[in-house]
Amino acid sequence: GHLEERPRLAAPRGEPAAPPTGGKMAVTLHTNVGDMKLELFCEDAPLACENFLALCASGKYDGTKFHRNIKGFMVQGGDPTGTGKGGLSIWGNKFKDEVKAHLKHNRRGILSMANSGPNTNGSQFFLTYAKAKHLDGLYTVFGRVIHGLDVLDSLEKAPVDAKDRPTIDLHIVRATIHANPFADTAI
């Protein structure tokens, strides 16, 4: 009955590898067009991740629409009013940015907090469809899509009106929270 210790996973950029019991957090957003699994960067953006996880766990995102959708740029959601003007944090007010130089909007599927200026994070978030360097340093990157990029494709293809609002229903049905120590291996 001897159990071998599992090998440690290699980490990017020369960082020490975390053992598999490191417990990276992940969330699956179950949308009406499919499921997307997101890895959260809790060490780099603890406030954004705590807020997002608590909003997911409490069902605050259930039924919320993706209210802004710009092909080649990003899709935005997380506003319970569906207008793009609402959405409180779990603390009932806006919270500070957690911008990190090494976390960039450098690819498709980056998860970032939406805001209306410095330190105005609430409940709204967006997912990038492409690199968006002009957002770096202005928005808190706190995760990335690790499974379900095809769902991002479906969101991006959805028709929109002149104000970038989807003309068909796109919404989050519910969210499932996971602890996923192997999140990095999915890339």
Side-chain angles (χ1 to χ4, degrees):
H2 173 70
L3 294 176
E4 288 185 4
E5 186 176 326
R6 287 190 168 169
R8 291 161 59 92
L9 301 174
R13 297 180 304 279
E15 297 166 6
T21 54
K24 285 187 189 279
M25 293 303 298
V27 170
T28 296
L29 293 181
H30 304 278
T31 77
N32 66 319
V33 294
D35 296 349
M36 282 183 294
K37 190 171 189 177
L38 311 172
E39 176 190 354
L40 302 184
F41 305 148
C42 295
E43 286 183 20
D44 287 306
L47 296 176
C49 289
E50 180 182 357
N51 183 61
F52 187 76
L53 286 164
L55 291 169
C56 287
S58 64
K60 294 280 195 248
Y61 288 137
D62 296 3
T64 60
K65 294 180 184 295
F66 289 101
H67 62 271
R68 187 168 176 234
N69 193 20
I70 304 173
K71 186 177 173 73
F73 180 39
M74 61 96 219
V75 62
Q76 188 170 330
D79 176 5
T81 72
T83 64
K85 296 179 178 154
L88 296 173
S89 75
I90 56 170
W91 302 285
N93 53 9
K94 304 294 184 186
F95 65 95
K96 70 178 185 176
D97 295 329
E98 297 173 291
V99 172
K100 299 291 189 315
H102 67 281
L103 293 180
K104 300 184 183 312
H105 301 86
N106 58 1
R107 57 180 265 186
R108 185 172 182 81
I110 294 294
L111 173 65
S112 197
M113 289 301 297
N115 66 40
S116 55
N119 303 308
T120 58
N121 300 289
S123 67
Q124 293 186 47
F125 61 88
F126 63 91
L127 291 159
T128 59
Y129 289 138
K131 288 181 186 179
K133 285 180 144 180
H134 64 288
L135 302 180
D136 293 346
L138 301 174
Y139 298 87
T140 298
V141 171
F142 69 102
R144 64 181 174 178
V145 176
I146 57 172
H147 183 62
L149 284 168
D150 57 317
V151 176
L152 209 54
D153 295 344
S154 297
L155 290 170
E156 187 173 19
K157 290 174 187 164
V160 296
D161 66 17
K163 293 184 177 179
D164 301 313
R165 291 182 301 231
T167 56
I168 62 170
D169 180 41
L170 301 173
H171 69 272
I172 297 168
V173 177
R174 63 184 171 83
T176 301
I177 296 171
H178 315 274
N180 179 3
F182 298 105
D184 279 339
T185 62
I187 301 299

